Amino acid sequence: MATTVINTIVSTKELHFQPGGAPASFEVTVVNGSDRFASFQVELVAAGAAADRNSDWYSISPTASSKKPPGAATQFQVSILATPVPGFVGMMNVRVRVFSMDLPDETREILRLVVERGTGLIALQLELPVKQFQITPGSRLEVPVRVSNPGQLLSNALLTEVAIDPRWLPLSTERRLQVPPGKSVETTFTYQAPFGASAPSQAYPFIIEATHNNGPASRVSGTIEVMPMGFVEFTATPKQRAIPDKLRWKFWQSHPVTYSLEAKNASNLPQEATLEMAGENSPQCDLTLIPETHGIAPEETVEFLLTARKKRPWFGRTRKLLLELTAIWSDHRVDTRNERQTLELVVRPVLPLALQLVGGFFLLYLLWWLSWLNPRNPFFGHNEPVNSVKLNGVGERLMSGSNDQTMIEWNVSGFFNPIINQELRRFPNKGNRLWQWLTRPFQNPTNCQSLDCSDSVAEKAVRVVQYRPVNNNWVATGLENGEIHLWNLTEKRTDPFRSFVYQKDDRVFGLEFTQDSRSLFSGHGSGAVLQWDLRDLEQAGSNPEVMTPNLKQFNFAVYALKLVGNDDRTLAVAGQLNQLVLWNWRENTEAVVPYREGGKDAYINSLDTAESHPNLLATADNQGYITLWNMQTCVNGGADCQRIEQWEDGHKGQPVRSVALSEDGCYLVSGGDDGRVMLWPLNTDGSRAQPQGEQIIGAKNKNFNSVDIKQVDDHLLIAAGSDDKQEVRVESHPRLPNLGCDVP
């Protein structure tokens, strides 16, 4: 027979309890009938009570006994505080459970609890299923509220929002409910936060209060966070001011000018705003901002005053200073508009330009100023960015094309001997440039971008120049307006001997002659690649309309062309979207070369092959990548093109504008936006002979748009053209016979 190890004695078998009155108490005596030390606990379980209800309706003291020796007794004092089942009246069974964590046994005793009708007032119980909410201004939020009636009488409850501005509750701030005894009823409150200063973005506490006729009021609270919304912006009026702003009798003085800057806070966030100069170097003028910082409440607009002071020079031309301002906002959780503002400050010299020109006739001795010995001669070389440079076959001459609408033939020896004039001639040749510059104020300035503003055959920037392979006696130029000009270098003409155009205003970015010089390919910004049969020139005469090219249309802007392979029939076409396509123009078939994917702002800028190794192709793009390809397998169809090597650190990750290969494929030269021209020795397989290239030309804040390389005797000639005016450079570098494939 099993022995009971826990002996339980309940002081009464029946207990009366009246809600609202004094607690009903009884004792439970527990005797340790085991043979070991043990601690004991008591638990009450009421019949009909919800399974998830906690034990807040009774209390037990102590909650657990200390460990007792065998035969020792423990007394527990139990008090009934509330009805186990809300609203219940009558008799129910309550199970008294005694257990021990030290013993495997437990005991259960039954107590009859008689619940009488209560006399006290009982508060309603409020519950929020969710206590924290987020809302955007203007939208509606439904907040659920659960109301429970623990009493024994039907309650007519009134729920009221007592914390939030009543304007946030579009329907009503009150809810009336009938809550049966022992039951729960749910309802919702609708909130709608206004936009702007009346409801800045922050957390707002809300309180729901419940009152009824059978007891005291009760409350429950939560928070509603208003999310950020709206925008902030800066506007400047006016954006251009001039010093002096009007004529004064003391014409030499420099009075400051003031710009008005409005900061608008069209959001529900309080802001603090200021302005700072954008970029590393601010224009050389004194700027004063009043106030330096300004607090701006929601839906408020404030004004900043920016005062600019600049001392006017006595001589020179009118200067235009760009003041780039950046708005700094304290809170960036809303949309920022017009964050940058570019203001223009026009600084006029004390002496007008006309007076300076008249005085210049008497002060300047033009012989030295206009000679090639003056490196800053404004009438020598190009005066706009240089877009293309090409060395002829023997490296004695260099052609360059520029945005100033001219092409210049240079004597390469002049770059190394200051006594020799570098500039041989200019195309088109329109006479004395000094006279044009002096008479420029009296000419029509419309569409005039350079010193050469007289009538010309171009009137557009020269985008690309290309020597004819046979004899190098022709030069083809591609212009901004889509025209193509052919110049005969053996003739002293002031205009091209042939001009033709397929479509006006379709910029020419690439030109490529076939090796027999019978055809000329042109690549255009519209995606068109045109094949011009130069044998038609005799039939065309001076009428370009007779020239009818073969058209190949691509779905991207074409930026570079280059014939690859030994048979002169495959044209590599590259440009926008990082597209690289091999077009067999004889059979009119094309194959796409897999390249790095790019968006609409991704371009392959340049292509080049080695004359002795026409299957070696170099590419450069505006993401900073230089790639070397072996095209032998893919030119003939079938296999994919072999990418020999690709690197992106050659120009510090900045766009690479141009690449050129030497005739034997042993050297690669590149130019980019980092202001450097780099030389890369190559191995016989086309890979780099060393991981890092050698800087040949370095210039801060210059973009090199075009490069070329030529092997002459024991040295390399490297030519480069940049964005800076007059910037055409030629450098000499020793060949590297002990590195790469250039073996003597």
Side-chain angles (χ1 to χ4, degrees):
M1 181 176 177
T3 303
T4 301
V5 297
I6 301 176
N7 299 315
T8 303
I9 301 172
V10 179
S11 61
T12 181
K13 294 296 184 179
E14 183 175 299
L15 185 68
H16 289 257
F17 173 69
Q18 186 177 37
S25 301
F26 64 96
E27 291 181 354
V28 177
T29 302
V30 180
V31 179
N32 184 2
S34 69
D35 58 354
R36 69 186 74 171
F37 281 79
S39 63
F40 301 93
Q41 293 178 260
V42 177
E43 180 186 57
L44 302 186
V45 180
D52 58 348
R53 182 165 183 187
N54 53 29
S55 58
D56 59 351
W57 57 276
Y58 67 89
S59 67
I60 298 176
S61 179
T63 56
S65 71
S66 59
K67 287 194 175 185
K68 298 289 185 178
T74 302
Q75 279 193 343
F76 291 90
Q77 187 72 30
V78 182
S79 298
I80 305 299
L81 306 176
T83 306
V85 179
F88 177 81
V89 177
M91 185 174 66
M92 67 172 62
N93 288 334
V94 176
R95 185 170 67 249
V96 180
R97 175 175 172 256
V98 180
F99 60 95
S100 173
M101 302 299 294
D102 303 311
L103 302 174
D105 201 4
E106 68 176 37
T107 61
R108 294 180 178 88
E109 299 290 336
I110 299 299
L111 170 70
R112 291 188 298 274
L113 178 63
V114 179
V115 180
E116 301 175 354
R117 186 172 298 277
T119 59
L121 299 179
I122 301 176
L124 297 175
Q125 296 177 354
L126 296 181
E127 181 184 356
L128 292 175
V130 180
K131 292 182 177 293
Q132 296 179 344
F133 299 88
Q134 290 182 337
I135 186 174
T136 56
S139 63
R140 291 195 173 188
L141 171 67
E142 300 290 335
V143 176
V145 182
R146 184 180 297 118
V147 186
S148 300
N149 182 6
Q152 300 171 340
L153 301 175
L154 176 68
S155 292
N156 293 315
L158 174 63
L159 274 63
T160 308
E161 165 59 68
V162 297
I164 295 290
D165 190 329
R167 291 176 295 179
W168 285 39
L169 289 92
L171 302 180
S172 175
T173 60
E174 297 180 345
R175 297 289 187 274
R176 294 186 180 273
L177 304 171
Q178 281 191 343
V179 187
K183 301 295 183 179
S184 298
V185 177
E186 290 190 357
T187 186
T188 59
F189 279 79
T190 302
Y191 295 85
Q192 185 175 20
F195 176 80
S198 58
S201 175
Q202 64 183 48
Y204 293 86
F206 67 91
I207 299 175
I208 307 297
E209 182 180 75
T211 58
H212 69 126
N213 53 346
N214 296 328
S218 57
R219 290 187 172 189
V220 68
S221 63
T223 58
I224 298 177
E225 182 182 0
V226 178
M227 302 303 294
M229 185 176 180
F231 64 91
V232 290
E233 69 173 343
F234 262 95
T235 55
T237 53
K239 289 193 174 184
Q240 184 187 70
R241 298 300 300 267
I243 298 177
D245 57 345
K246 60 183 178 179
L247 295 178
R248 303 174 185 269
W249 71 272
K250 293 183 179 180
F251 63 91
W252 60 87
Q253 293 184 344
S254 303
H255 293 277
V257 294
T258 301
Y259 299 87
S260 176
L261 300 167
E262 284 191 350
K264 180 180 180 181
N265 183 5
S267 72
N268 61 352
L269 287 173
Q271 296 278 357
E272 189 170 279
T274 186
L275 290 169
E276 68 177 19
M277 292 297 300
E280 296 180 357
N281 301 316
S282 61
Q284 296 179 354
C285 60
D286 295 329
L287 301 176
T288 303
L289 181 66
I290 301 176
E292 293 185 358
T293 59
H294 208 306
I296 312 174
E299 296 185 296
E300 183 182 9
T301 300
V302 300
E303 182 183 35
F304 288 86
L305 296 179
L306 180 67
T307 301
R309 295 176 175 84
K310 176 67 176 176
K311 187 176 181 180
R312 298 163 59 199
W314 280 88
F315 303 97
R317 295 191 177 189
T318 298
R319 295 183 59 190
K320 292 184 179 180
L321 304 180
L322 297 181
L323 313 177
E324 294 193 9
L325 304 176
T326 300
I328 307 298
W329 298 91
S330 59
D331 199 324
H332 295 275
R333 289 181 293 167
V334 294
D335 184 26
T336 302
R337 300 181 182 178
N338 300 327
E339 188 175 6
R340 290 198 172 189
Q341 293 286 332
T342 300
L343 308 180
E344 188 176 276
L345 177 62
V346 178
V347 182
R348 300 187 178 97
V350 175
L351 294 180
L353 180 61
L355 291 178
Q356 297 180 50
L357 293 177
V358 172
F361 281 112
F362 300 96
L363 299 176
L364 297 178
Y365 184 63
L366 299 180
L367 181 60
W368 178 86
W369 184 254
L370 297 177
S371 72
W372 67 91
L373 298 175
N374 177 16
R376 298 186 179 276
N377 188 341
F379 313 108
F380 176 79
H382 292 295
N383 54 20
E384 293 291 342
V386 178
N387 297 318
S388 181
V389 294
K390 282 293 179 183
L391 290 160
N392 69 354
V394 294
E396 295 176 348
R397 299 288 185 266
L398 171 70
M399 301 299 299
S400 63
S402 168
N403 280 358
D404 65 1
Q405 306 170 8
T406 66
M407 178 178 63
I408 296 179
E409 183 179 17
W410 304 84
N411 186 347
V412 174
S413 299
F415 288 92
F416 307 104
N417 188 343
I419 300 177
I420 300 176
N421 187 357
Q422 302 169 354
E423 182 176 327
L424 293 176
R425 53 179 168 169
R426 181 183 303 271
F427 304 87
N429 184 5
K430 293 174 283 187
N432 189 287
R433 299 184 71 204
L434 173 61
W435 176 253
Q436 297 174 30
W437 183 76
L438 294 175
T439 58
R440 183 180 179 185
F442 308 101
Q443 299 173 0
N444 183 4
T446 304
N447 296 326
C448 184
Q449 299 290 328
S450 70
L451 295 177
D452 297 328
C453 290
S454 59
D455 294 336
S456 73
V457 296
E459 291 297 338
K460 289 294 181 180
V462 179
R463 300 293 308 182
V464 59
V465 299
Q466 189 67 265
Y467 277 102
R468 184 171 78 155
V470 177
N471 299 327
N472 285 170
N473 60 337
W474 288 5
V475 171
T477 60
L479 307 186
E480 186 81 10
N481 64 349
E483 294 182 18
I484 299 173
H485 294 168
L486 292 178
W487 302 83
N488 192 334
L489 301 181
T490 62
E491 299 177 354
K492 294 183 178 181
R493 302 174 56 115
T494 60
D495 57 350
F497 74 93
R498 288 293 184 271
S499 300
F500 39 91
V501 62
Y502 181 77
Q503 184 174 342
K504 283 288 187 181
D505 298 325
D506 190 2
R507 290 182 292 179
V508 183
F509 287 110
L511 292 173
E512 178 74 356
F513 283 95
T514 56
Q515 289 301 315
D516 58 10
S517 298
R518 294 182 177 181
S519 295
L520 173 66
F521 294 93
S522 61
H524 298 258
S526 65
V529 175
L530 305 174
Q531 179 199 0
W532 304 88
D533 192 341
L534 300 183
R535 293 173 295 181
D536 293 341
L537 289 177
E538 295 181 1
Q539 292 79 10
S542 61
N543 183 10
E545 300 295 335
V546 179
M547 296 287 291
T548 303
N550 293 327
L551 169 65
K552 178 65 176 178
Q553 184 65 47
F554 292 90
N555 60 353
F556 57 89
V558 176
Y559 270 60
L561 302 175
K562 197 64 185 179
L563 285 164
V564 297
N566 297 306
D567 53 5
D568 224 19
R569 66 179 182 179
T570 303
L571 183 68
V573 182
Q576 192 182 25
L577 306 175
N578 277 350
Q579 292 290 312
L580 178 57
V581 179
L582 298 180
W583 174 39
N584 187 325
W585 59 276
R586 295 186 184 274
E587 300 176 5
N588 195 23
T589 60
E590 58 182 274
V592 177
V593 178
Y595 200 82
R596 296 173 45 258
E597 293 186 2
K600 64 179 182 178
D601 295 325
Y603 296 86
I604 298 178
N605 294 319
S606 179
L607 301 173
D608 199 23
T609 58
E611 184 177 337
S612 302
H613 300 279
N615 289 313
L616 177 63
L617 177 69
T619 65
D621 60 42
N622 65 347
Q623 286 84 52
Y625 285 85
I626 300 174
T627 310
L628 291 166
W629 305 80
N630 183 354
M631 311 299 288
Q632 184 173 2
T633 56
C634 55
V635 165
N636 299 323
D640 292 336
C641 299
Q642 177 187 358
R643 190 175 72 181
I644 301 173
E645 191 170 6
Q646 183 180 79
W647 64 96
E648 62 174 331
D649 57 351
H651 289 271
K652 303 177 181 179
Q654 298 193 43
V656 182
R657 300 297 178 184
S658 180
V659 288
L661 287 164
S662 59
E663 294 96 325
D664 59 3
C666 292
Y667 301 94
L668 172 72
V669 65
S670 61
D673 285 2
D674 63 337
R676 297 189 303 165
V677 174
M678 303 294 294
L679 177 65
W680 311 87
L682 304 180
N683 296 315
T684 54
D685 63 351
S687 62
R688 287 182 293 176
Q690 55 187 16
Q692 299 297 327
E694 181 179 353
Q695 178 177 311
I696 303 301
I697 303 174
K700 187 177 181 181
N701 300 326
K702 293 182 181 179
N703 298 339
F704 284 96
N705 300 320
S706 181
V707 295
D708 200 8
I709 185 172
K710 192 68 63 177
Q711 291 172 317
V712 179
D713 297 330
D714 60 347
H715 62 277
L716 303 171
L717 288 178
I718 299 171
S722 74
D723 275 354
D724 273 18
K725 296 180 180 180
Q726 308 178 15
E727 190 59 47
V728 174
R729 296 181 62 172
V730 179
E731 298 290 339
S732 177
H733 191 278
R735 294 170 67 172
L736 305 171
N738 298 324
L739 183 64
C741 67
D742 189 7
V743 180

